[in-house]
Amino acid sequence: MTNLWPQVAPLVAAADRPSRYIDHEFGAVRKPDADFRFCMVYPDTYELGQPNQALRILVNAVNARPHLAAERGFIPAPDMCDALRREGLPIFSMESCAPFGEFDVIGFTLAHELVATNVLEALDLAGIPLRAADRAEDDPIIVAGGPCAYNPEPFHLFIDAFSIGEGEEAVPDALELIRQLRLQGASRADILRALAAQDGWYVPSLYRLRDEAAAQRAGSWLEPAQPGVPDTVVKRIYEGFATSPGWEPCVVPYAEVVHDRLSVEVLRGCARGCRFCQAGMMYRPVRERSVRNIVESVKAGLAHTGYDEVSLTSLSSTDHSRIAQVLEQLNCAFAGTGTRISLPSQRLDSFGVDMAGLVAGQKKGGLTFAPEAGTQRLRNVINKNVTEDDLFAAIDAAFAAGWRRCKLYFMIGLPTETDEDVRGIASLAQRAYDRAKKAVPPEQRGNIRMSVSAALFVPKAQTPFQWDGQIPPEEARRRAHLLRDSVKYKAVDVHWHDPATSFVEAVMSRGGRLAAEWVEAAWKRGARFDAWTEYFNEQAWRDAADEVGLDVEAVAQTSYEPGYVMPWAHISTGASARWLAKERYRAAEEITTPDCTFGACSACGACPGLESGNVLAALRVAAGSNAVGDGVSAGPPEACDGAASNARPSRRNPYISLLAIEDDCAQENAVPEPHGFGEGGGPQ
């Protein structure tokens, strides 16, 4: 492959933050003898993309296969993008400084809707035709996955194939298939047809668009254009997650990145059932790693990387059935070393006095809690299943344990929200501040900081609120000002997100195939780096909508009856459309649905549909306001737990199995040394 470094080096020397483009970080992998090459691209700058777990996981999974090599790719910052165009140089990978266009396959992780124009920026800088239909036989095959793949239609013109679901096995398997077919001389069209036959792969070019009437009759806007193409693409999950090592090779960057610490994923999935939350639907079922796996993974990761901070990541880390034992063992193992153990996601009903004492040791930064709504009525609508008493108990515990800063996260514009609900945010925040003051000594009350962050509700595909429209930007601003004016305490800071970017996000989240033309037209008008406030170009998006004839207000703001067939009905998370509609009706009645990992199956359909189930380290015990009449004792905590074989069913939910307790942490059963560095045997 071509090494562009001699030509790129002078541009890097003059670039803003040149460390974004310099290879040879500790842990970077090179496999020069592999005969099939994959570039995994995070469509934003290095400091945002390098910490991304999906990028790390997939690069490692691909490099673990003998004939495959994976490298990382990022979008150069705007100054470097412009410099590359001036010099006629293409975008390049990190490890080899090789042009994107020389890779066999390029993969994009679509973490959020506002990366869309950056995908086009990358393709254009690579000299690859933007549209899949215009690519030649020797152009790289472009694949994508991630949250936005659950409504892939706004990207369908640009992506050859989408990976729906978890990629640890799906992506390497697909690359092996493409490699074999290319060795056999298969055409691009044949390769895409073969991909479409694999579980969890969606190839947009193999489907025809129906009109609205036909779509509502058929239950899908798309129909297969060729025999053997599935009507519905169901996500693929990684069945081995619970027993896979929590530590795997990672790059230690030169540049300062947004999450510059070791990350260990302690569990995957969330069954809390918040009706606005796409992640809670798309990562079902819940799978926990064992205590011993997590603890040994943290030890190995810190020893290999030199970090002094580790984040125990998941959608809701305090929901782990053995999180207290994890924290106790880690605090004991790293006592006196200055190592910080942090939990980025903490449930209000799980953060009691004991948890406050276990989190973060002696280093008390800021805490973030997410009541989401200001009144109990609206929390019931969204199925948040926490109360203000849960918030106050968490505040009491946190500030008594030494914290002095807290952020409260809310959304405005949620379905059925009224001005009373908005004012309720201000009231709840002020009362939380009062509780914080009471929990600390009088001489320290001047150090207390409380902030409110209000995001605008964005209806997400594959959720019970997918049928609800977003409030218009001008109404969002009115409600934000109402919130600001309702907060009377100067010590409580209020911040809200820009409604203009949230509007684009909503159109992308709910749009059909015409939205892809809108993205292309906006990019041609200069839209890129839309998640960056300083680069967001609202006028480009407005003018693009006029050009392609897309009524963006209707896409973002129209509400439908539950059951209306949406543009992504051919993609399935496993949770059935019937259950999503039922949850929307329950929301209208302000009826909550319990978390199925604490109680009975909620009949979402994910476990039987995916032939899988929840895997827990121990039976979960509900806490806080959810503990009343619902807790089931799991018995005394074990000293340590082992591999997940001989799983046994829960007494309450047939789709729950438990990790078996097999030994007492004998050395021979420790977490194995991970593979995936490739040739060279270790970090370089």
Side-chain angles (χ1 to χ4, degrees):
M1 300 185 78
T2 304
N3 182 353
L4 293 171
W5 183 248
Q7 298 102 300
V8 167
L11 303 183
V12 169
D16 180 37
R17 300 191 68 180
S19 55
R20 289 167 166 158
Y21 313 108
I22 298 173
D23 183 28
H24 296 280
E25 311 110 307
F26 182 84
V29 178
R30 296 163 197 81
K31 294 178 68 177
D33 297 330
D35 61 10
F36 193 88
R37 311 194 76 80
F38 171 66
C39 189
M40 184 69 202
V41 181
Y42 187 91
D44 213 310
T45 60
Y46 179 92
E47 57 265 38
L48 293 177
Q50 178 52 46
N52 181 261
Q53 284 188 294
L55 182 138
R56 181 184 71 186
I57 287 169
L58 295 180
V59 167
N60 284 336
V62 172
N63 277 331
R65 302 288 179 100
H67 300 287
L68 308 180
E71 299 191 18
R72 297 163 295 143
F74 306 96
I75 310 301
D79 68 306
M80 189 65 165
C81 289
D82 296 342
L84 290 174
R85 284 195 173 94
R86 282 196 307 270
E87 298 299 321
L89 293 172
I91 192 172
F92 50 88
S93 67
M94 286 295 293
E95 279 76 6
S96 299
C97 201
F100 279 14
E102 294 187 7
F103 285 85
D104 297 286
V105 177
I106 296 173
F108 289 96
T109 179
L110 306 177
H112 57 85
E113 289 81 1
L114 296 179
V115 301
T117 52
N118 277 8
V119 171
L120 301 192
E121 184 79 349
L123 293 173
D124 183 68
L125 283 169
I128 298 169
L130 299 184
R131 297 195 174 199
D134 297 332
R135 291 176 194 140
E137 288 292 330
D138 58 350
D139 281 322
I141 289 177
I142 309 300
V143 301
C148 293
Y150 288 95
N151 176 18
E153 298 315 308
F155 296 86
H156 84 281
L157 288 176
F158 322 118
I159 306 298
D160 292 306
F162 291 87
S163 174
I164 309 299
E166 298 168 1
E168 282 96 332
E169 296 172 335
V171 170
D173 287 351
L175 297 180
E176 293 271 19
L177 174 65
I178 297 170
R179 175 179 176 272
Q180 289 297 327
L181 290 173
R182 282 206 163 160
L183 289 174
Q184 296 166 17
S187 68
R188 191 181 191 90
D190 289 339
I191 290 171
L192 293 178
R193 279 192 291 269
L195 264 185
Q198 306 302 302
D199 290 343
W201 282 92
Y202 167 57
V203 179
S205 61
L206 300 181
Y207 293 80
R208 287 190 296 264
L209 183 66
R210 294 183 171 110
D211 63 31
E212 182 177 17
Q216 299 308 310
R217 289 193 302 269
S220 174
W221 285 80
L222 298 180
E223 62 177 333
Q226 297 183 14
V229 177
D231 292 301
T232 301
V233 179
V234 180
K235 78 175 181 186
R236 183 168 171 179
I237 66 170
Y238 176 40
E239 290 283 3
F241 173 82
T243 53
S244 64
W247 153 248
E248 55 183 302
C250 69
V251 170
V252 180
Y254 294 132
E256 182 180 356
V257 295
V258 292
H259 301 298
D260 200 5
R261 62 182 75 98
L262 175 69
S263 295
V264 172
E265 191 177 8
V266 298
L267 68 93
R268 185 171 292 178
C270 176
R272 290 283 186 164
C274 297
R275 291 169 178 142
F276 57 83
C277 181
Q278 186 184 58
M281 304 300 160
M282 73 185 193
Y283 288 119
R284 293 180 178 217
V286 175
R287 289 144 290 162
E288 296 180 346
R289 285 182 165 130
S290 71
V291 175
R292 186 160 55 86
N293 185 338
I294 296 166
V295 171
E296 295 301 322
S297 296
V298 170
K299 291 178 180 178
L302 293 176
H304 277 76
T305 63
Y307 278 120
D308 61 1
E309 181 178 358
V310 59
S311 180
L312 305 180
T313 64
S314 76
L315 293 175
S316 185
S317 296
T318 49
D319 275 348
H320 192 289
S321 61
R322 286 291 185 242
I323 191 61
Q325 285 73 39
V326 170
L327 292 170
E328 287 168 356
Q329 292 190 27
L330 290 176
N331 286 337
C332 180
F334 295 104
T337 65
T339 301
R340 180 178 178 183
I341 314 296
S342 63
L343 296 176
S345 53
Q346 301 176 58
R347 286 281 303 190
L348 287 172
D349 56 334
S350 302
F351 197 87
V353 174
D354 292 341
M355 189 61 62
L358 290 171
V359 175
Q362 299 301 310
K363 297 183 177 180
K364 301 295 192 295
L367 280 176
T368 299
F369 294 120
E372 307 290 359
T375 63
Q376 193 59 46
R377 183 202 70 82
L378 192 52
R379 284 192 292 274
N380 290 344
V381 168
I382 66 177
N383 205 52
K384 186 63 181 177
N385 280 324
V386 296
T387 67
E388 65 177 36
D389 286 340
D390 292 323
L391 172 61
F392 295 153
I395 293 290
D396 290 345
F399 281 81
W403 273 275
R404 295 295 178 265
R405 293 185 290 113
C406 182
K407 177 186 288 187
L408 302 180
Y409 184 88
F410 296 90
M411 280 188 282
I412 57 174
L414 286 162
T416 79
E417 183 183 69
T418 66
D419 283 1
E420 181 181 353
D421 297 310
V422 176
R423 285 189 284 266
I425 297 174
S427 172
L428 189 60
Q430 291 177 159
R431 285 179 288 141
Y433 177 77
D434 290 338
R435 295 293 290 250
K437 285 203 303 182
K438 290 180 180 179
V440 304
E443 65 274 12
Q444 296 182 24
R445 290 174 182 171
N447 297 328
I448 293 175
R449 295 292 181 271
M450 186 78 65
S451 64
V452 170
S453 177
L456 177 59
F457 164 70
V458 176
K460 293 289 186 175
Q462 312 287 354
T463 70
F465 286 163
Q466 64 185 356
W467 293 286
D468 289 274
Q470 184 183 66
I471 61 174
E474 56 273 17
E475 173 62 13
R477 293 186 183 93
R478 186 193 71 81
R479 296 190 195 186
H481 292 152
L482 174 62
L483 170 59
R484 179 196 61 192
D485 295 341
S486 299
V487 173
K488 304 305 181 184
Y489 289 7
K490 292 183 179 180
V492 178
D493 296 321
V494 179
H495 309 275
W496 60 86
H497 294 190
D498 178 17
T501 56
S502 297
F503 175 77
V504 172
E505 187 180 351
V507 179
M508 289 293 295
S509 178
R510 306 182 89 212
R513 290 205 156 185
L514 185 57
E517 296 185 24
W518 181 55
V519 170
E520 185 177 19
W523 173 79
K524 288 180 177 178
R525 283 168 168 73
R528 59 179 180 176
F529 292 94
D530 295 294
W532 295 58
T533 302
E534 61 267 41
Y535 296 119
F536 178 68
N537 185 345
E538 182 179 5
Q539 194 59 49
W541 290 98
R542 291 288 179 183
D543 292 344
D546 292 339
E547 177 188 338
V548 304
L550 180 64
D551 186 345
V552 287
E553 281 75 16
V555 174
Q557 297 163 15
T558 300
S559 293
Y560 303 93
E561 285 297 314
Y564 179 87
V565 177
M566 302 300 281
W568 49 86
H570 54 292
I571 305 295
S572 174
T573 65
S576 71
R578 181 178 179 182
W579 179 77
L580 295 177
K582 178 183 175 182
E583 282 295 291
R584 184 60 188 88
Y585 286 122
R586 289 172 70 86
E589 298 297 322
E590 301 174 14
I591 299 172
T592 61
T593 300
D595 183 334
C596 69
T597 62
F598 293 98
C601 173
S602 62
C604 74
C607 292
L610 300 170
E611 298 182 353
S612 185
N614 300 304
V615 180
L616 306 180
L619 285 175
R620 288 180 169 183
V621 180
S625 61
N626 292 301
V628 180
D630 194 44
V632 173
S633 174
E638 70 277 15
C640 231
D641 49 357
S645 60
N646 303 317
R648 55 192 175 90
S650 163
R651 286 170 285 172
R652 297 180 294 166
N653 186 339
Y655 297 110
I656 291 179
S657 59
L658 303 182
L659 298 177
I661 304 170
E662 293 188 342
D663 55 60
D664 58 353
C665 295
Q667 182 61 39
E668 60 267 25
N669 290 314
V671 175
E673 184 70 17
H675 59 280
F677 281 119
E679 294 185 12
Q684 300 177 30

